Amino acid sequence: MPTKSKKTKAAGRFGARYGRSVRTKLASVETKQRIKQKCPYCGKLGVKRLSKGIWECSKCKKKFASDIYYLE
Ligand SMILES: [Zn+2]
């Protein structure tokens, strides 16, 4: 059962494994990749990450390949 810890957020699913600083770094990347990103085509905030480097805009329905974790 994955439980969220207060300090490491989503990385709390790893329990005590991999070290605290690694988990904190991972949590900061993961929270950034899960929020809606800005679309390079229509400029609206609505791009969701589908998989590694694959993004889809919910506004203009464009699917494209770009950066792995989050868009600039
Ligand atoms: Zn768009």
Side-chain angles (χ1 to χ4, degrees), residues 38-44 46-47 56-62 64:
K38 199 178 167 193
C39 178
Y41 297 100
C42 63
K44 283 173 188 153
V47 182
E56 189 178 41
C57 178
S58 59
K59 311 277 183 211
C60 61
K61 301 278 177 244
K62 264 200 171 78
F64 56 96

